[in-house]
Amino acid sequence: MKWRGASLCVAAAAVLPASLMLYGVCVPGGYYDFVVGALWCWTIVGVAWAVIGVRWWRRDPPDSRWRLWPLAVFPFVLVVSWWTASGDLVGKATFAHYRADLEQLADRASTNDDTRVGPYRFRSRFYMDGCTLYSVREPAMAVGSGLAWCPGVSPTDHIWDEGEIFEKIEGDWYTFVMPFGDTPVDPWGLQVTRIDSVGHV
């Protein structure tokens, strides 16, 4: 019974890193604290899952091993959340939901103060070359990243001073990233090999 309760706890605990990971990739470039926190939580819960699974497998007779079913929840949640976080689904769905709020914010005076819109935490918001740029606070996979609203202009038509790379979302909206070094980075989704602690420690 003790091991059964522990396996249920591990299954429930998988929700935490999954939530952190999905929240962490809801913005271009991701949130460093949430993405790294999710990876650490996955590691801790994964170790607990392996220890409980091995000990329970050794203790219980073969005809009662069906009770291991709660342990199947962890790999299922891991695979589904990792697959979802690796694409652009979360980021684009978040943007679509908050697009009107972002456009209203762009109409206000520019500011370098922290700004929040739903799950978005912007370090600064400024106007440059016909675009309003929303710079994400502490991105995980780029030196800088964010959103750009460029009504009537295309930011991809010229080279930017800070090396920003723009990608169209829809309409007048774009993402931008400033990658670490010369290695390209996708603005959306989890890219573990692109995570860098520069500026976060």
Side-chain angles (χ1 to χ4, degrees):
M1 185 64 75
K2 177 178 74 172
W3 292 107
R4 184 187 221 173
S7 69
L8 290 171
C9 287
V10 167
V15 174
L16 174 62
S19 300
L20 290 173
M21 180 176 286
L22 294 175
Y23 184 86
V25 298
C26 73
V27 298
Y31 286 129
Y32 181 83
D33 291 343
F34 287 92
V35 171
V36 172
L39 296 176
W40 276 108
C41 286
W42 279 126
T43 302
I44 294 167
V45 177
V47 169
W49 170 81
V51 169
I52 291 168
V54 168
R55 294 197 65 175
W56 197 359
W57 186 267
R58 288 179 177 171
R59 286 181 55 140
D60 280 14
D63 61 347
S64 64
R65 287 180 181 158
W66 62 269
R67 292 184 298 174
L68 289 169
W69 72 264
L71 292 177
V73 172
F74 170 78
F76 175 77
V77 173
L78 172 64
V79 169
V80 170
S81 62
W82 203 288
W83 177 82
T84 304
S86 296
D88 61 5
L89 178 66
V90 177
K92 289 189 174 179
T94 302
F95 168 77
H97 184 74
Y98 289 98
R99 177 176 176 172
D101 294 332
L102 292 166
E103 289 179 357
Q104 287 178 3
L105 181 62
D107 287 335
R108 300 179 206 156
S110 295
T111 177
N112 286 324
D113 297 332
D114 284 354
T115 305
R116 295 186 74 103
V117 175
Y120 294 104
R121 296 181 300 167
F122 299 116
R123 181 182 61 209
S124 62
R125 178 172 49 93
F126 54 94
Y127 185 80
M128 181 182 293
D129 294 336
C131 297
T132 301
L133 275 66
Y134 303 80
S135 181
V136 170
R137 190 172 153 203
E138 298 187 353
M141 293 159 280
V143 174
S145 65
L147 299 169
W149 189 41
C150 306
V153 299
S154 175
T156 59
D157 289 343
H158 64 278
I159 298 174
W160 290 66
D161 293 341
E162 300 296 327
E164 294 94 334
I165 300 170
F166 289 80
E167 181 178 298
K168 189 166 187 171
I169 306 173
E170 61 181 36
D172 297 322
W173 282 96
Y174 297 78
T175 61
F176 72 88
V177 291
M178 298 159 50
F180 295 109
D182 297 326
T183 306
V185 61
D186 192 315
W188 301 113
L190 178 67
Q191 300 154 80
V192 175
T193 59
R194 299 289 183 261
I195 296 173
D196 200 303
S197 62
V198 173
H200 306 291
V201 291

